[in-house]
Amino acid sequence: MKDERITKLAARLIHHSIQLQPKERILIRGHINTKPLLKELIDEIYRVGAYPYVELEDDEISRHLLLGNVKEQLDTASQWALKKYTDIDAVIIITGEENNAEMTDVPIERHRLQGEAMNSPTLFYVNNRRWVLLNYPTKASAQKAGMTFNRYEDFLLNVCTMDYGKMEAALKPLKQLMQRTDKVRIVSPRTDLTFSIKGMPAVICAGKKNLPDGEVFTAPIKDSLNGRISFNTPTTYEGITFSDIELNFKKGKIIKATSNRDPEMNQILNIDEGSRFIGEFAIGINPYILEPMDDILFDEKISGSLHLALGIAYDEADNGNRSSIHWDMVLIQRPEYGGGDIYFDDVLIRRDGFFVLPELHALNPNSLK
């Protein structure tokens, strides 16, 4: 039986996120198990009068390719990808996770080679094309989230089709405040971190680039971070799940990092010079996403959260950091997670996950729902 929510999601992606126009060319990258949404997207694209192109991906095949890849091979793939993204107007990327551990036996060096090779085409479409990224409900992602498949499917489809126009309007005062701010201070258990965002743009995320969505991001001045931060949300990077991460900073650089997987973590941090610096700082506000799911597309939007990303900065808020990685780490500051404060220029703006400034009250959960 056809699920009308998938039809609604396809329309949301085409008309709100991508804003597709007649005769435009749009690439859809999806896993083999995302076919119900792929079919709805193709039909909606044809109704617009645009031209769909589809690539199907498979985690097992990707793993086999990764295990044997070499630089010459990847350089060719990078050139092809760049040409492909040059020829299109927009991209929809649909992940449909089959097995979260599929890549765990791939050496980090293989991931590094691929990351470096695909950096150029990825940055090209991220910065020059309209794009959106979303997850499709699968049994693997439901299991990782600790939900039955039916509950997870309902949750995902409902949160992806919420009123993102209302969210976008509510985020504007936070964007304006961030763009007036110099000093940021984050205080939580085992956390006291300061940095500057002076002069950096702030970017609203309300369903245009990600579904689900709900954040404003910027980037710290690269050498301004000092202190330490402890993240209370697990994060999976290249198939390895890390928890209890604590980072210590001096003049912007991570000088000490600990976690449940210290050797693997420090191996990632040593991939290149930029991997020990921060490329993004963001505040999450989605009222329907409350608990970690070990899925960064959801976890970085958690209500009452913030996150930092190790590695490369986005062009929209560019602090100059360059790296082959972009690794988001999430700190939830609601009371049940230990609480915490965010200060802008020594003024408290959020306590225990709730905004205290009157102009930001519309971002609190009961107002956004």
Side-chain angles (χ1 to χ4, degrees), residues 18 20 24-28 88-92 129-131:
I18 297 296
L20 193 66
E24 287 191 316
R25 294 162 295 187
I26 180 166
L27 173 67
I28 310 169
I88 61 170
D89 300 290
V91 190
I92 295 176
R129 295 293 181 260
R130 305 194 306 280
W131 61 274

Side-chain angles (χ1 to χ4, degrees), residues 84-357:
K84 172 178 63 185
Y85 293 130
T86 302
D87 287 344
I88 61 170
D89 300 290
V91 190
I92 295 176
I93 304 139
I94 310 166
T95 65
E97 188 171 72
E98 302 161 61
N99 177 8
N100 184 50
E102 191 66 42
M103 303 296 178
T104 53
D105 63 347
V106 178
I108 287 176
E109 176 64 16
R110 298 291 183 185
H111 288 294
R112 183 189 68 79
L113 281 173
Q114 174 153 294
E116 289 179 351
M118 300 310 293
N119 197 37
S120 177
T122 300
L123 285 178
F124 178 83
Y125 84 72
V126 165
N127 295 317
N128 297 282
R129 295 293 181 260
R130 305 194 306 280
W131 61 274
V132 62
L133 169 69
L134 73 151
N135 283 0
Y136 188 80
T138 65
K139 291 183 178 179
S141 52
Q143 184 179 37
K144 190 167 68 171
M147 299 183 189
T148 65
F149 175 73
N150 286 342
R151 181 183 167 211
Y152 178 76
E153 182 182 44
D154 288 343
F155 166 73
L156 188 149
L157 293 175
N158 289 336
V159 76
C160 285
T161 54
M162 67 176 287
D163 188 347
Y164 283 104
K166 178 181 178 181
M167 176 188 286
E168 185 171 10
L171 282 168
K172 288 179 180 178
L174 179 57
K175 167 188 168 77
Q176 293 164 358
L177 177 60
M178 291 174 76
Q179 293 185 153
R180 297 194 304 267
T181 295
D182 176 0
K183 179 185 174 184
V184 176
R185 185 183 180 200
I186 300 168
V187 180
S188 281
R190 305 194 315 279
T191 294
D192 194 342
L193 182 69
T194 60
F195 54 88
S196 173
I197 57 173
K198 185 176 183 179
M200 295 299 300
V203 181
I204 289 174
C205 298
K208 297 289 176 67
K209 303 292 189 185
N210 288 175
L211 282 179
D213 216 342
E215 66 173 279
V216 177
F217 77 85
T218 184
I221 302 302
K222 183 177 174 180
D223 62 356
S224 70
L225 291 93
N226 288 286
R228 70 173 181 170
I229 183 167
S230 179
F231 297 96
N232 54 16
T233 302
T235 173
T236 297
Y237 189 82
E238 306 296 9
I240 301 173
T241 300
F242 297 85
S243 60
D244 303 315
I245 295 174
E246 185 172 303
L247 305 178
N248 287 260
F249 291 87
K250 184 176 181 180
K251 295 182 179 179
K253 187 174 184 177
I254 298 170
I255 57 171
K256 182 181 179 183
T258 59
S259 72
N260 66 321
R261 305 285 293 267
D262 284 351
E264 294 92 342
M265 181 168 187
N266 282 282
Q267 192 175 2
I268 295 169
L269 292 178
N270 291 330
I271 283 178
D272 52 44
E273 178 63 24
S275 60
R276 285 187 176 266
F277 289 85
I278 298 299
E280 178 190 3
F281 161 63
I283 296 176
I285 55 88
N286 193 302
Y288 296 104
I289 307 176
L290 299 176
E291 310 301 333
M293 301 168 61
D294 195 16
D295 184 330
I296 196 57
L297 195 58
F298 289 84
D299 292 354
E300 67 180 4
K301 317 301 190 323
I302 288 173
S303 180
S305 74
L306 62 92
H307 63 272
L308 299 177
L310 282 61
I312 194 167
Y314 294 120
D315 274 11
E316 295 163 290
D318 189 0
N319 68 354
N321 197 39
R322 296 293 176 265
S323 175
S324 61
I325 75 169
H326 183 91
W327 185 4
D328 295 287
M329 299 180 179
V330 178
L331 168 60
I332 306 172
Q333 293 187 306
R334 301 200 314 272
E336 61 268 35
Y337 285 90
D341 299 332
I342 301 176
Y343 296 87
F344 284 178
D345 291 329
D346 298 320
V347 175
L348 180 69
I349 70 150
R350 198 181 73 178
R351 168 154 286 173
D352 293 343
F354 287 86
F355 292 95
V356 298
L357 297 182

